[in-house]
Amino acid sequence: MNLPDCYKEVRKLTEQICAPLHTEDYVVQPVADVSPPKWHLGHTSWFFETFILKPYFMGYQEFDPQYNFVFNSYYETVGTRVIRTDRGNLSRPTVADIYKYREYVDEAMDKFLSSEPAADIKELLILGLNHEQQHQELLYTDIKFILGHNPLFPTYSEDYRPPENEKNTGSPFVKMNEGVYEIGFSGEGFCFDNELGRHKVYLQNYEISPLLVTNGEYLEFINAGGYQDFRHWHAEGWDWVNKNNVIAPLYWHNINDTWYNYTYTGLELIDWDDTLCHVSYFEASAYAAWKGMRLPTEFEWEAAAGQFNWGTRWEWTESAYLPYPGFVKASGAIGEYNGKFMVNQQVLRGASEVTSPGHSRVTYRNFFQTYLQWQFTGIRLAK
Amino acid sequence: MNLPDCYKEVRKLTEQICAPLHTEDYVVQPVADVSPPKWHLGHTSWFFETFILKPYFMGYQEFDPQYNFVFNSYYETVGTRVIRTDRGNLSRPTVADIYKYREYVDEAMDKFLSSEPAADIKELLILGLNHEQQHQELLYTDIKFILGHNPLFPTYSEDYRPPENEKNTGSPFVKMNEGVYEIGFSGEGFCFDNELGRHKVYLQNYEISPLLVTNGEYLEFINAGGYQDFRHWHAEGWDWVNKNNVIAPLYWHNINDTWYNYTYTGLELIDWDDTLCHVSYFEASAYAAWKGMRLPTEFEWEAAAGQFNWGTRWEWTESAYLPYPGFVKASGAIGEYNGKFMVNQQVLRGASEVTSPGHSRVTYRNFFQTYLQWQFTGIRLAK
Amino acid sequence: MNLPDCYKEVRKLTEQICAPLHTEDYVVQPVADVSPPKWHLGHTSWFFETFILKPYFMGYQEFDPQYNFVFNSYYETVGTRVIRTDRGNLSRPTVADIYKYREYVDEAMDKFLSSEPAADIKELLILGLNHEQQHQELLYTDIKFILGHNPLFPTYSEDYRPPENEKNTGSPFVKMNEGVYEIGFSGEGFCFDNELGRHKVYLQNYEISPLLVTNGEYLEFINAGGYQDFRHWHAEGWDWVNKNNVIAPLYWHNINDTWYNYTYTGLELIDWDDTLCHVSYFEASAYAAWKGMRLPTEFEWEAAAGQFNWGTRWEWTESAYLPYPGFVKASGAIGEYNGKFMVNQQVLRGASEVTSPGHSRVTYRNFFQTYLQWQFTGIRLAK
Amino acid sequence: MNLPDCYKEVRKLTEQICAPLHTEDYVVQPVADVSPPKWHLGHTSWFFETFILKPYFMGYQEFDPQYNFVFNSYYETVGTRVIRTDRGNLSRPTVADIYKYREYVDEAMDKFLSSEPAADIKELLILGLNHEQQHQELLYTDIKFILGHNPLFPTYSEDYRPPENEKNTGSPFVKMNEGVYEIGFSGEGFCFDNELGRHKVYLQNYEISPLLVTNGEYLEFINAGGYQDFRHWHAEGWDWVNKNNVIAPLYWHNINDTWYNYTYTGLELIDWDDTLCHVSYFEASAYAAWKGMRLPTEFEWEAAAGQFNWGTRWEWTESAYLPYPGFVKASGAIGEYNGKFMVNQQVLRGASEVTSPGHSRVTYRNFFQTYLQWQFTGIRLAK
């Protein structure tokens, strides 16, 4: 697909994700990690306006200079930002105004893309599209959080279809041999800066499961008192469990001794054959310890990824999010994209059922804090 | 006016106050003390449904049993409540649904009121209307907070007209003589339980200002370093100033050495002749100390109220909010109305420019925590 | 007694209270409201050094200029202070050094008092002695908190003798007639500024109990589910109960279904005939509400005090701590003594078993925040 | 040295470290990470009593069953523990009692060790001695924190001699070649479980400094505005700087434009040739970024450690604290030693001037949270 069409398709998908929402759903921010959908809509447009239209499109008129103040995220180099926890306090700009803003930016981009941009601008554009795809996934997860924490448990869309479950073919763990492996992105096409620097790592013998953990398997951990036994947990995880009274994955509700979970189609009986979802790293790690196994490192995952299916859950790994050898931050605001988060977070590999099509790849490095459950996160065991 | 018309008029005013809002403005809750406008709309309807229609209107069908969970406020006797700070996280019910709920309740009330209700139900109804008027004022103050804390400083309504300023006629303080005065409500008509128990108090000689403090007078306090000198402040007030870096009344902004304040028509240059507004009790008390005076007690205020104009600002008094002699809580949920707040709050007397017409009276006892600024609060000096 | 002897006697008593302590007991500060005993010892000496010796004793050499920084309390006018919650972090000056400091100050005071001081200095001296007596009581209550929160429940002193219980003579409530009463200090002798301004108040008919509530009577409230029923509590009190999981007065422990309380002689079975102690205002008020009665106001208490025994418990009143008519703060640091606390606190009247001999009187106004339990506080009912 | 002598020597050193303290210094806990010295003294004795004497020494009488409650640290398997932040609230047991406890345990250990213990008990004993050495270092760092945060800046001991500074011989960075290296402990002697599992890693070409960063070099970073420029910092580090107003390493004080630091001999002018100390990981990483370099990984450090001097500072590495391949937690309480901390901490390599003699080694893995400054931490650059 050519770049202008690509641009249109990505931008359209963002709006399709929001189509089932009521105006009110666009506004709220129940916790700091969840952003209001209208903020995602504005922020992704702001990205193209700020990094492409304003510097490179001669004669472009900014839609509204105040929007920089409202839709900037963590880009410290681009003016004063709205403190992140305040996003949910802002009723203005309205949703209608933000859609106007998107339209305005899209029209300008359309004109701008009518002539072939220079290579470095193209790169920025592709980064912007990948950035928007990341926010598409966040829209899905944030919408689920907003509706799933409403006492009325409203349906997002009756049309939402989760992926088919993997067949449990009884396959044994995949055995991998000790030796030197190459890790990191190579070849053509887009990747983030944190995947670059393809390099050798030495792995020991290991085995990795071809299947993800199911709800039913995880229920055994719950029923065995897993949340009450500190021995399975990191000290910090154990504190998290107790301070927050965690007793199950996010969206699970035990009502009169029956387990339900909240889904995009409302509150439903849990399907025990479904792939487990919405667990924190602490839970993933405790479950693995209880099974007498462990999580794979991100290198083990990447080396073996050709031998199993992946793509329905972001898979927690045993690897902390750290720079690859030779990693260098880009200069300017774009350089704030990844490097500054390389501390106290854990790597997730794969993709999830709400990751945008074509967005992820086998070298993709996702990362989140160890206590977060609101992404579509799952568990693959290793030993 | 007859009761059914009264009901309609009060209910209509609530909706008129909200008319200038966009849907998004109904949803947010920037701080715990401010409720989303849609919550006020739902809660006032819930009051009539819960305390009148459900117990007394035969055959009434509840609009939605879940709404009790969402729109209950602090009434501990009526089921589990939504935790107050969570109101701003709820995108559903939508604004449209809440207006349907109001309409549904209003139609039922209309039928119910077509035959004369019993005296005790009438009393409940009048309480409900006064309750709704209190929420009308909160709508005004909460809307101002929501829009006034948005970086775009949007206008609420170009039609909003603040009251004329009092003429400063240079009148001296009103002198009041020592002696026994009668305090509290007597006579016909509605009053809250906290005004009842008319009783004698003994007052010493005192003087009270016929005028409220102006912005210009308060600016002198600011310019004299009032916010930097602990001697004027209560110890708790001094902590509040320093923890919150308070340097002026709420909505005042010093931009390039010029003072602006946010009003219902947007950010404007401060009019120094305007009556001061949006100060906390801590500020009112510190200003009075700086002037070498004090605030009046609520009894001094009531005894002298016939001799000055009041009604544009709630006036902080030196009196803590405590029960009058013989005060008895009503039984049941209605009994939670006032008595349980009679600790660690300060009494305000009068009314404000956004108090509903006919709502207040000379014996009315309003009360708030000492650090709050978001009501239309002002200062009257005594000595 | 002459002033020099008075001084010696008061100073000696402070040291006698501390005599049973180990060095370690002088150092800790388990919560912000409790100060380390060594701080009390230093602070009371600092008071005489700062307000008498330095300004009035020619040629006096300050013991250590740094001590001002360490032993200043809330006197904002006298240099930078140590933040209150930090007192428990200071291992130096050592206890031995602080005793040396006391001795140094006492010797200087002895010389200073060898010639008759001027009247205004005498006044300051008497204030200093009353100030030290207040810290004597705080030493008692803070020592009890420190030892009573140690898992070893150590004994303070086997010699401690609590007062005899009042005989319950079955006397009925004292009836008091409506009318004008005079309130506040008059006559010769010392009083605090907050007692001054003797003035008339008008009281309605009321009745007041001649006896304080006992442990056994309060147990009935506990057993009747008093801590689980919000109807008896102020809204703020109910929050306090639930956030802190309060189920009984401070120092009560339910061990295997038997109630014990911590006393100066260790953990003991509760004596149900003993006068109740260590309840917050919230508890006092909830108990009274449960009994269908109320607490007396401070004016009711003072007007009736001649008709019952008092002095073993500080008695919570229904009165907020506010200035008497005509109250004026003293200028300078001494002026910070009382006035700045006149908000969001409740008045207690009487005295307690650990109040220093001769310190209190019928017009004395003690005051604390409504959630505090660590003083020797009790309940007298009114109606 | 034989085991009984080893035991005596280690135990004696602990007491020597404490010898300069006053009783009061043993008691306080200014922040949660710092424990009172008396707690270290008790806890290390408790370790031998709990894990050796009680299970293996027939007829041993526990010194005091309550001490388990007081001196247990994070060992969740051994009874209820005192919450960590409460340690500073405990005045009892007294310091004298704790020294009695040590003596009692030492006498029992002396008898117990008079006959050769079984191999597995020997292992426990050696673990206990290494554990005590870790607390010796914590005693040093906690004592420095306690005295260094006292406004009197007391001297710990005039006899304390810091190590000589390394000569800056102008040596270039050590060049290391790409390839497979072996990492982890092998051979005889004691090591912690987290060092085990010697395994191959693949390293790229890198260079590592033979010298640690000095105070003077770090001052350039400060003077260049390093603490004010977010580009050098991790996002989490930048938050830490701003929330805590960090402007320099711990113990640095800028007084009238001159830099001092607190040392064991009091407040002194900073020696710019001294090796930098007391920086957090955030600061170490920001400094390296500002220099256009980075910190070494723990594997790079270990592979190159033979080619430079180390041992005066714990050196922050770019490696998160994670399990080595094949890591298995020991069962029981001993198993809580290391594994449960393997999340959200960073590895430090080397040893410091206050590490006990013989305690560390080239494979030793120390670890702390990224914001902590109170250990003797420094910076070695890599590229």
Side-chain angles (χ1 to χ4, degrees), chain A residues 7 11 43-55 105-106 109 124-125 128-129 132:
Chain A
Y7 177 87
R11 296 283 286 174
H43 170 70
T44 46
S45 298
W46 169 90
F47 189 100
F48 291 111
E49 183 179 59
T50 303
F51 295 115
I52 293 183
L53 292 173
K54 283 166 68 179
V105 165
D106 285 350
M109 286 295 292
L124 266 176
L125 180 66
L129 296 175
E132 179 131 358

PDB file of all heavy atoms in Angstrom, chain A residues 7 11 43-55 105-106 109 124-125 128-129 132:
ATOM      1  N   TYR A   7      -1.743   5.873   5.543  1.00  0.00           N
ATOM      2  CA  TYR A   7      -2.124   6.906   6.512  1.00  0.00           C
ATOM      3  C   TYR A   7      -3.624   6.900   6.744  1.00  0.00           C
ATOM      4  O   TYR A   7      -4.102   6.852   7.881  1.00  0.00           O
ATOM      5  CB  TYR A   7      -1.648   8.286   6.031  1.00  0.00           C
ATOM      6  CG  TYR A   7      -2.061   9.408   6.948  1.00  0.00           C
ATOM      7  CD1 TYR A   7      -1.265   9.763   8.031  1.00  0.00           C
ATOM      8  CD2 TYR A   7      -3.252  10.099   6.746  1.00  0.00           C
ATOM      9  CE1 TYR A   7      -1.650  10.790   8.896  1.00  0.00           C
ATOM     10  CE2 TYR A   7      -3.646  11.122   7.613  1.00  0.00           C
ATOM     11  CZ  TYR A   7      -2.838  11.465   8.679  1.00  0.00           C
ATOM     12  OH  TYR A   7      -3.235  12.453   9.530  1.00  0.00           O
ATOM     13  N   ARG A  11      -5.611   5.890  10.223  1.00  0.00           N
ATOM     14  CA  ARG A  11      -6.411   6.922  10.893  1.00  0.00           C
ATOM     15  C   ARG A  11      -7.877   6.494  10.996  1.00  0.00           C
ATOM     16  O   ARG A  11      -8.536   6.764  11.989  1.00  0.00           O
ATOM     17  CB  ARG A  11      -6.298   8.235  10.126  1.00  0.00           C
ATOM     18  CG  ARG A  11      -4.876   8.802  10.112  1.00  0.00           C
ATOM     19  CD  ARG A  11      -4.499   9.460  11.399  1.00  0.00           C
ATOM     20  NE  ARG A  11      -5.149  10.742  11.550  1.00  0.00           N
ATOM     21  CZ  ARG A  11      -5.078  11.480  12.662  1.00  0.00           C
ATOM     22  NH1 ARG A  11      -4.399  11.027  13.709  1.00  0.00           N
ATOM     23  NH2 ARG A  11      -5.693  12.638  12.734  1.00  0.00           N
ATOM     24  N   HIS A  43      -4.324  13.305  20.913  1.00  0.00           N
ATOM     25  CA  HIS A  43      -2.873  13.157  21.001  1.00  0.00           C
ATOM     26  C   HIS A  43      -2.270  12.610  19.705  1.00  0.00           C
ATOM     27  O   HIS A  43      -1.202  13.057  19.274  1.00  0.00           O
ATOM     28  CB  HIS A  43      -2.545  12.236  22.183  1.00  0.00           C
ATOM     29  CG  HIS A  43      -1.119  11.824  22.242  1.00  0.00           C
ATOM     30  ND1 HIS A  43      -0.094  12.699  22.553  1.00  0.00           N
ATOM     31  CD2 HIS A  43      -0.521  10.627  22.016  1.00  0.00           C
ATOM     32  CE1 HIS A  43       1.061  12.052  22.525  1.00  0.00           C
ATOM     33  NE2 HIS A  43       0.832  10.802  22.202  1.00  0.00           N
ATOM     34  N   THR A  44      -2.943  11.651  19.065  1.00  0.00           N
ATOM     35  CA  THR A  44      -2.393  11.071  17.839  1.00  0.00           C
ATOM     36  C   THR A  44      -2.412  12.087  16.690  1.00  0.00           C
ATOM     37  O   THR A  44      -1.502  12.093  15.855  1.00  0.00           O
ATOM     38  CB  THR A  44      -3.167   9.794  17.443  1.00  0.00           C
ATOM     39  OG1 THR A  44      -4.577  10.048  17.540  1.00  0.00           O
ATOM     40  CG2 THR A  44      -2.821   8.638  18.381  1.00  0.00           C
ATOM     41  N   SER A  45      -3.415  12.965  16.698  1.00  0.00           N
ATOM     42  CA  SER A  45      -3.428  14.031  15.685  1.00  0.00           C
ATOM     43  C   SER A  45      -2.347  15.061  15.978  1.00  0.00           C
ATOM     44  O   SER A  45      -1.670  15.560  15.079  1.00  0.00           O
ATOM     45  CB  SER A  45      -4.795  14.721  15.661  1.00  0.00           C
ATOM     46  OG  SER A  45      -5.783  13.786  15.303  1.00  0.00           O
ATOM     47  N   TRP A  46      -2.201  15.364  17.256  1.00  0.00           N
ATOM     48  CA  TRP A  46      -1.169  16.306  17.701  1.00  0.00           C
ATOM     49  C   TRP A  46       0.217  15.840  17.250  1.00  0.00           C
ATOM     50  O   TRP A  46       1.067  16.645  16.883  1.00  0.00           O
ATOM     51  CB  TRP A  46      -1.241  16.434  19.225  1.00  0.00           C
ATOM     52  CG  TRP A  46      -0.109  17.135  19.861  1.00  0.00           C
ATOM     53  CD1 TRP A  46      -0.006  18.476  20.106  1.00  0.00           C
ATOM     54  CD2 TRP A  46       1.107  16.549  20.341  1.00  0.00           C
ATOM     55  NE1 TRP A  46       1.187  18.754  20.714  1.00  0.00           N
ATOM     56  CE2 TRP A  46       1.887  17.589  20.871  1.00  0.00           C
ATOM     57  CE3 TRP A  46       1.603  15.243  20.375  1.00  0.00           C
ATOM     58  CZ2 TRP A  46       3.149  17.367  21.428  1.00  0.00           C
ATOM     59  CZ3 TRP A  46       2.854  15.008  20.921  1.00  0.00           C
ATOM     60  CH2 TRP A  46       3.616  16.066  21.446  1.00  0.00           C
ATOM     61  N   PHE A  47       0.425  14.529  17.270  1.00  0.00           N
ATOM     62  CA  PHE A  47       1.722  13.970  16.887  1.00  0.00           C
ATOM     63  C   PHE A  47       2.052  14.363  15.441  1.00  0.00           C
ATOM     64  O   PHE A  47       3.137  14.866  15.149  1.00  0.00           O
ATOM     65  CB  PHE A  47       1.678  12.447  17.039  1.00  0.00           C
ATOM     66  CG  PHE A  47       3.022  11.781  16.882  1.00  0.00           C
ATOM     67  CD1 PHE A  47       3.761  11.399  17.988  1.00  0.00           C
ATOM     68  CD2 PHE A  47       3.559  11.517  15.618  1.00  0.00           C
ATOM     69  CE1 PHE A  47       5.001  10.772  17.854  1.00  0.00           C
ATOM     70  CE2 PHE A  47       4.797  10.905  15.466  1.00  0.00           C
ATOM     71  CZ  PHE A  47       5.518  10.531  16.595  1.00  0.00           C
ATOM     72  N   PHE A  48       1.098  14.147  14.529  1.00  0.00           N
ATOM     73  CA  PHE A  48       1.353  14.499  13.121  1.00  0.00           C
ATOM     74  C   PHE A  48       1.479  16.007  12.933  1.00  0.00           C
ATOM     75  O   PHE A  48       2.302  16.488  12.164  1.00  0.00           O
ATOM     76  CB  PHE A  48       0.241  13.937  12.220  1.00  0.00           C
ATOM     77  CG  PHE A  48       0.277  12.444  12.116  1.00  0.00           C
ATOM     78  CD1 PHE A  48      -0.716  11.653  12.691  1.00  0.00           C
ATOM     79  CD2 PHE A  48       1.326  11.800  11.441  1.00  0.00           C
ATOM     80  CE1 PHE A  48      -0.664  10.261  12.606  1.00  0.00           C
ATOM     81  CE2 PHE A  48       1.377  10.411  11.350  1.00  0.00           C
ATOM     82  CZ  PHE A  48       0.379   9.642  11.937  1.00  0.00           C
ATOM     83  N   GLU A  49       0.659  16.750  13.645  1.00  0.00           N
ATOM     84  CA  GLU A  49       0.734  18.207  13.531  1.00  0.00           C
ATOM     85  C   GLU A  49       2.086  18.731  14.009  1.00  0.00           C
ATOM     86  O   GLU A  49       2.709  19.576  13.366  1.00  0.00           O
ATOM     87  CB  GLU A  49      -0.397  18.847  14.352  1.00  0.00           C
ATOM     88  CG  GLU A  49      -0.421  20.366  14.214  1.00  0.00           C
ATOM     89  CD  GLU A  49      -1.541  21.007  15.008  1.00  0.00           C
ATOM     90  OE1 GLU A  49      -1.573  20.820  16.243  1.00  0.00           O
ATOM     91  OE2 GLU A  49      -2.393  21.695  14.397  1.00  0.00           O
ATOM     92  N   THR A  50       2.530  18.190  15.151  1.00  0.00           N
ATOM     93  CA  THR A  50       3.731  18.720  15.794  1.00  0.00           C
ATOM     94  C   THR A  50       5.014  18.287  15.095  1.00  0.00           C
ATOM     95  O   THR A  50       5.940  19.083  14.923  1.00  0.00           O
ATOM     96  CB  THR A  50       3.777  18.258  17.260  1.00  0.00           C
ATOM     97  OG1 THR A  50       2.583  18.700  17.899  1.00  0.00           O
ATOM     98  CG2 THR A  50       5.003  18.804  17.978  1.00  0.00           C
ATOM     99  N   PHE A  51       5.067  17.023  14.695  1.00  0.00           N
ATOM    100  CA  PHE A  51       6.344  16.516  14.192  1.00  0.00           C
ATOM    101  C   PHE A  51       6.442  16.547  12.669  1.00  0.00           C
ATOM    102  O   PHE A  51       7.522  16.426  12.109  1.00  0.00           O
ATOM    103  CB  PHE A  51       6.602  15.103  14.741  1.00  0.00           C
ATOM    104  CG  PHE A  51       6.778  15.107  16.229  1.00  0.00           C
ATOM    105  CD1 PHE A  51       5.864  14.469  17.065  1.00  0.00           C
ATOM    106  CD2 PHE A  51       7.842  15.790  16.816  1.00  0.00           C
ATOM    107  CE1 PHE A  51       6.025  14.495  18.443  1.00  0.00           C
ATOM    108  CE2 PHE A  51       8.011  15.816  18.197  1.00  0.00           C
ATOM    109  CZ  PHE A  51       7.097  15.169  19.011  1.00  0.00           C
ATOM    110  N   ILE A  52       5.299  16.694  11.977  1.00  0.00           N
ATOM    111  CA  ILE A  52       5.363  16.732  10.505  1.00  0.00           C
ATOM    112  C   ILE A  52       4.829  18.056   9.948  1.00  0.00           C
ATOM    113  O   ILE A  52       5.537  18.784   9.259  1.00  0.00           O
ATOM    114  CB  ILE A  52       4.615  15.519   9.887  1.00  0.00           C
ATOM    115  CG1 ILE A  52       5.399  14.256  10.254  1.00  0.00           C
ATOM    116  CG2 ILE A  52       4.467  15.679   8.370  1.00  0.00           C
ATOM    117  CD1 ILE A  52       4.866  12.985   9.686  1.00  0.00           C
ATOM    118  N   LEU A  53       3.581  18.387  10.265  1.00  0.00           N
ATOM    119  CA  LEU A  53       2.973  19.546   9.601  1.00  0.00           C
ATOM    120  C   LEU A  53       3.647  20.860   9.981  1.00  0.00           C
ATOM    121  O   LEU A  53       3.982  21.677   9.116  1.00  0.00           O
ATOM    122  CB  LEU A  53       1.466  19.603   9.915  1.00  0.00           C
ATOM    123  CG  LEU A  53       0.657  18.456   9.298  1.00  0.00           C
ATOM    124  CD1 LEU A  53      -0.792  18.490   9.785  1.00  0.00           C
ATOM    125  CD2 LEU A  53       0.707  18.508   7.764  1.00  0.00           C
ATOM    126  N   LYS A  54       3.838  21.068  11.291  1.00  0.00           N
ATOM    127  CA  LYS A  54       4.416  22.349  11.691  1.00  0.00           C
ATOM    128  C   LYS A  54       5.848  22.533  11.180  1.00  0.00           C
ATOM    129  O   LYS A  54       6.170  23.569  10.592  1.00  0.00           O
ATOM    130  CB  LYS A  54       4.307  22.549  13.203  1.00  0.00           C
ATOM    131  CG  LYS A  54       2.878  22.960  13.614  1.00  0.00           C
ATOM    132  CD  LYS A  54       2.607  22.864  15.094  1.00  0.00           C
ATOM    133  CE  LYS A  54       3.397  23.894  15.878  1.00  0.00           C
ATOM    134  NZ  LYS A  54       3.089  23.779  17.338  1.00  0.00           N
ATOM    135  N   PRO A  55       6.710  21.540  11.321  1.00  0.00           N
ATOM    136  CA  PRO A  55       8.078  21.788  10.809  1.00  0.00           C
ATOM    137  C   PRO A  55       8.219  21.689   9.291  1.00  0.00           C
ATOM    138  O   PRO A  55       9.076  22.348   8.714  1.00  0.00           O
ATOM    139  CB  PRO A  55       8.913  20.704  11.500  1.00  0.00           C
ATOM    140  CG  PRO A  55       7.958  19.662  11.950  1.00  0.00           C
ATOM    141  CD  PRO A  55       6.637  20.318  12.147  1.00  0.00           C
ATOM    142  N   VAL A 105      -6.336  18.049  10.543  1.00  0.00           N
ATOM    143  CA  VAL A 105      -4.985  17.502  10.387  1.00  0.00           C
ATOM    144  C   VAL A 105      -4.945  16.529   9.205  1.00  0.00           C
ATOM    145  O   VAL A 105      -4.004  16.540   8.400  1.00  0.00           O
ATOM    146  CB  VAL A 105      -4.533  16.808  11.697  1.00  0.00           C
ATOM    147  CG1 VAL A 105      -3.313  15.931  11.461  1.00  0.00           C
ATOM    148  CG2 VAL A 105      -4.259  17.853  12.783  1.00  0.00           C
ATOM    149  N   ASP A 106      -5.991  15.713   9.083  1.00  0.00           N
ATOM    150  CA  ASP A 106      -6.000  14.733   7.991  1.00  0.00           C
ATOM    151  C   ASP A 106      -6.033  15.420   6.626  1.00  0.00           C
ATOM    152  O   ASP A 106      -5.372  14.971   5.675  1.00  0.00           O
ATOM    153  CB  ASP A 106      -7.199  13.773   8.144  1.00  0.00           C
ATOM    154  CG  ASP A 106      -6.962  12.766   9.248  1.00  0.00           C
ATOM    155  OD1 ASP A 106      -5.820  12.681   9.763  1.00  0.00           O
ATOM    156  OD2 ASP A 106      -7.917  12.043   9.617  1.00  0.00           O
ATOM    157  N   MET A 109      -2.611  16.711   6.004  1.00  0.00           N
ATOM    158  CA  MET A 109      -1.714  15.601   5.701  1.00  0.00           C
ATOM    159  C   MET A 109      -1.952  15.091   4.282  1.00  0.00           C
ATOM    160  O   MET A 109      -1.012  14.730   3.571  1.00  0.00           O
ATOM    161  CB  MET A 109      -1.918  14.458   6.713  1.00  0.00           C
ATOM    162  CG  MET A 109      -1.338  14.723   8.085  1.00  0.00           C
ATOM    163  SD  MET A 109       0.484  14.878   8.115  1.00  0.00           S
ATOM    164  CE  MET A 109       0.961  13.193   7.711  1.00  0.00           C
ATOM    165  N   LEU A 124       9.532   9.576   9.748  1.00  0.00           N
ATOM    166  CA  LEU A 124       8.736  10.169  10.832  1.00  0.00           C
ATOM    167  C   LEU A 124       7.267   9.787  10.691  1.00  0.00           C
ATOM    168  O   LEU A 124       6.578   9.494  11.663  1.00  0.00           O
ATOM    169  CB  LEU A 124       8.835  11.692  10.779  1.00  0.00           C
ATOM    170  CG  LEU A 124       9.896  12.344  11.643  1.00  0.00           C
ATOM    171  CD1 LEU A 124       9.923  13.844  11.379  1.00  0.00           C
ATOM    172  CD2 LEU A 124       9.608  12.065  13.106  1.00  0.00           C
ATOM    173  N   LEU A 125       6.814   9.804   9.441  1.00  0.00           N
ATOM    174  CA  LEU A 125       5.424   9.471   9.173  1.00  0.00           C
ATOM    175  C   LEU A 125       5.130   8.034   9.583  1.00  0.00           C
ATOM    176  O   LEU A 125       4.114   7.739  10.225  1.00  0.00           O
ATOM    177  CB  LEU A 125       5.146   9.672   7.678  1.00  0.00           C
ATOM    178  CG  LEU A 125       3.728   9.364   7.222  1.00  0.00           C
ATOM    179  CD1 LEU A 125       2.744  10.346   7.843  1.00  0.00           C
ATOM    180  CD2 LEU A 125       3.622   9.427   5.698  1.00  0.00           C
ATOM    181  N   GLY A 128       4.919   7.802  13.123  1.00  0.00           N
ATOM    182  CA  GLY A 128       3.627   8.331  13.573  1.00  0.00           C
ATOM    183  C   GLY A 128       2.508   7.312  13.410  1.00  0.00           C
ATOM    184  O   GLY A 128       1.611   7.221  14.264  1.00  0.00           O
ATOM    185  N   LEU A 129       2.560   6.538  12.332  1.00  0.00           N
ATOM    186  CA  LEU A 129       1.518   5.522  12.128  1.00  0.00           C
ATOM    187  C   LEU A 129       1.659   4.398  13.141  1.00  0.00           C
ATOM    188  O   LEU A 129       0.672   3.894  13.682  1.00  0.00           O
ATOM    189  CB  LEU A 129       1.572   4.997  10.695  1.00  0.00           C
ATOM    190  CG  LEU A 129       1.248   6.064   9.622  1.00  0.00           C
ATOM    191  CD1 LEU A 129       1.436   5.487   8.220  1.00  0.00           C
ATOM    192  CD2 LEU A 129      -0.178   6.587   9.799  1.00  0.00           C
ATOM    193  N   GLU A 132       0.384   5.674  16.315  1.00  0.00           N
ATOM    194  CA  GLU A 132      -1.084   5.660  16.367  1.00  0.00           C
ATOM    195  C   GLU A 132      -1.611   4.245  16.602  1.00  0.00           C
ATOM    196  O   GLU A 132      -2.581   4.043  17.328  1.00  0.00           O
ATOM    197  CB  GLU A 132      -1.681   6.249  15.079  1.00  0.00           C
ATOM    198  CG  GLU A 132      -3.206   6.252  15.061  1.00  0.00           C
ATOM    199  CD  GLU A 132      -3.808   7.599  14.656  1.00  0.00           C
ATOM    200  OE1 GLU A 132      -3.061   8.567  14.417  1.00  0.00           O
ATOM    201  OE2 GLU A 132      -5.053   7.684  14.613  1.00  0.00           O
TER     202      GLU A 132
END
